[in-house]
Amino acid sequence: MNTPQPLVLGIESSCDETGVGIVRGTTLLTNTVSSSMDEHVRFGGVIPEIASRAHLDAFVPTLRQALSDAGVTLDDVDAIAVTSGPGLAGALMVGVCAAKALAVATGKPLYAINHLVAHVGVGLLDGKHDGGAAAVSAGASVAAGLGRGAPSLPGNLGALLVSGGHTEILKINSITDDVQLLGSTIDDAAGEAYDKVARILGLGYPGGPAIDKLAREGNPKAIRFPRGLTQPKYMGTAEEPGKHRCDWSFSGLKTAVARCVEQFEARGEELPVADIAAAFQEAVVDVITSKAVLACVEHGIKDVLLGGGVAANSRLRELTGKRCASAGITLHVPPLDLCTDNGAMVAALGAQLVMAGIGPSGIRFAPDSSMPVTAVSLPA
């Protein structure tokens, strides 16, 4: 199928958001999301079984709401796209089974796509953007979207994806079939580090918003926390790059925060929570942005998209904007509601596959919780 402006329904269930989005070509018609985050708060993190059950409860109401908001029916849809990985195995299974059922019932082609690449495809969308982009520092070279509804992505494009489960820098040679991984975290993702440090500081879950807010009251220079994998033995040189030149590690940072807290408590001193939060956040965003910009410069990347749930972090957006501007790189930040996990990004990538004439996946595929980012979609 090669439809000029396909109407695609996208389904996302990789973690704790049940998302259904509908796009026509590159135009966003609706982005409907039901989150189960409140059910995980008392556990201090996402519980896979609870997330899976929440997807079961939320899917049909979310689908009905999306169709109503878009003013379309399932008969109108040209194709269905669903996240097949990476993500929580049980949560993925719910979305994939629902998508297969819809495909069988309606006879529509089904595309099994990569959750991470979908974060990039969302930058092409134009239409109903209800969640505005947060401010980025003055002087930064920033654009809201990648193409403002254009049919293709800019050349020499990179993507910095920062979320609870992933921290990766990608080179997008082709959104439909050629994605290169330049660097990733070797342990905790940035969002995981935020949640773990927030727990240490008694700030609750989710940790990202709490630390971001508190950090504004603290001094980021009060404590010097380590920047993982920045030593010469890991970095190497441009001519002879080290093994982890463009990779990240946050587990050591988390441990350093824990040791810092223990030292204050052992001395009987009041814990400077705001300063610790600010210093921790600065360590995270400093190493993320420095390595991401390094990867972009060394691979000729001139445009980079910032996506994932942690893209909502004010300091990350600010420092990424400044460093990209200094390196002559244009930073693209989608609206906040399109940075977090959602069905619109799944539909957006699905529409790109349809428009490129790539065949559907059929219904025999299985969800893959560790699906590599180089696999944009699954073949039949």
Side-chain angles (χ1 to χ4, degrees):
M1 181 175 63
N2 193 334
T3 307
Q5 291 292 311
L7 184 68
V8 180
L9 184 147
I11 298 169
E12 156 63 24
S13 69
S14 64
C15 191
D16 60 340
E17 284 95 5
T18 306
V20 177
I22 300 175
V23 306
R24 188 183 299 279
T26 56
T27 299
L28 174 60
L29 301 183
T30 188
N31 179 33
T32 307
V33 178
S34 174
S35 175
S36 63
M37 181 178 291
D38 291 344
E39 299 180 44
H40 305 283
V41 169
R42 65 192 179 101
F43 300 102
V46 175
I47 305 301
E49 179 65 19
I50 292 176
S52 300
R53 292 179 180 273
H55 288 308
L56 283 170
D57 292 338
F59 179 73
V60 171
T62 305
L63 173 63
R64 286 174 173 165
Q65 185 65 53
L67 291 169
S68 175
D69 291 345
V72 301
T73 67
L74 285 174
D75 287 339
D76 299 324
V77 170
D78 294 310
I80 299 169
V82 63
T83 294
S84 58
L88 301 176
L92 289 169
M93 183 67 74
V94 176
V96 167
C97 287
K100 288 182 178 181
L102 285 176
V104 170
T106 62
K108 307 296 182 180
L110 177 60
Y111 289 80
I113 69 166
N114 192 299
H115 170 90
L116 298 177
V117 184
H119 274 297
V120 183
V122 79
L124 283 166
L125 291 177
D126 202 5
K128 293 182 179 178
H129 288 164
D130 298 323
V136 184
S137 65
S141 180
V142 178
L146 287 164
R148 299 301 299 166
S152 62
L153 295 167
N156 297 321
L157 172 67
L160 174 59
L161 306 181
V162 190
S163 69
H166 305 277
T167 305
E168 298 176 322
I169 181 73
L170 313 175
K171 188 174 189 295
I172 312 299
N173 300 309
S174 168
I175 188 67
T176 58
D177 60 10
D178 190 358
V179 175
Q180 180 183 357
L181 178 64
L182 302 182
S184 64
T185 178
I186 65 171
D187 41 54
D188 289 348
E192 289 177 291
Y194 268 90
D195 288 339
K196 290 176 179 178
V197 168
R199 192 178 304 126
I200 293 171
L201 298 179
L203 300 179
Y205 175 83
I211 289 179
D212 190 19
K213 180 179 180 180
L214 187 60
R216 297 167 195 167
E217 304 171 13
N219 177 9
K221 297 181 180 180
I223 304 166
R224 173 73 182 183
F225 286 126
R227 275 66 167 163
L229 301 183
T230 56
Q231 299 92 332
K233 64 179 180 179
Y234 298 120
M235 296 295 293
T237 64
E239 293 74 23
E240 296 184 12
K243 181 179 179 181
H244 295 298
R245 184 170 177 80
C246 296
D247 293 330
W248 295 277
S249 171
F250 299 107
S251 62
L253 173 58
K254 172 206 65 180
T255 302
V257 173
R259 296 292 176 267
C260 176
V261 170
E262 290 172 0
Q263 290 168 7
F264 275 100
E265 292 175 343
R267 294 193 298 264
E269 299 177 9
E270 181 179 354
L271 195 66
V273 180
D275 286 348
I276 294 175
F280 161 76
Q281 176 161 278
E282 194 65 19
V284 172
V285 300
D286 180 25
V287 72
I288 286 178
T289 55
S290 62
K291 288 205 169 197
V293 170
L294 174 66
C296 290
V297 170
E298 292 186 349
H299 288 82
I301 292 171
K302 296 299 183 182
D303 291 84
V304 65
L305 175 103
L306 176 62
V310 185
N313 182 274
S314 62
R315 180 57 179 154
L316 177 62
R317 296 164 80 96
E318 178 187 21
L319 192 56
T320 306
K322 285 182 177 178
R323 287 183 168 171
C324 281
S326 297
I329 299 167
T330 300
L331 174 64
H332 303 266
V333 186
L336 290 181
D337 62 338
L338 297 182
C339 287
T340 54
D341 296 344
N342 61 83
M345 69 185 198
V346 179
L349 181 54
Q352 291 295 315
L353 295 171
V354 173
M355 290 188 287
I358 293 176
S361 305
I363 62 170
R364 296 184 180 275
F365 69 90
D368 182 358
S369 60
S370 57
M371 186 175 182
V373 71
T374 50
V376 177
S377 63
L378 297 180

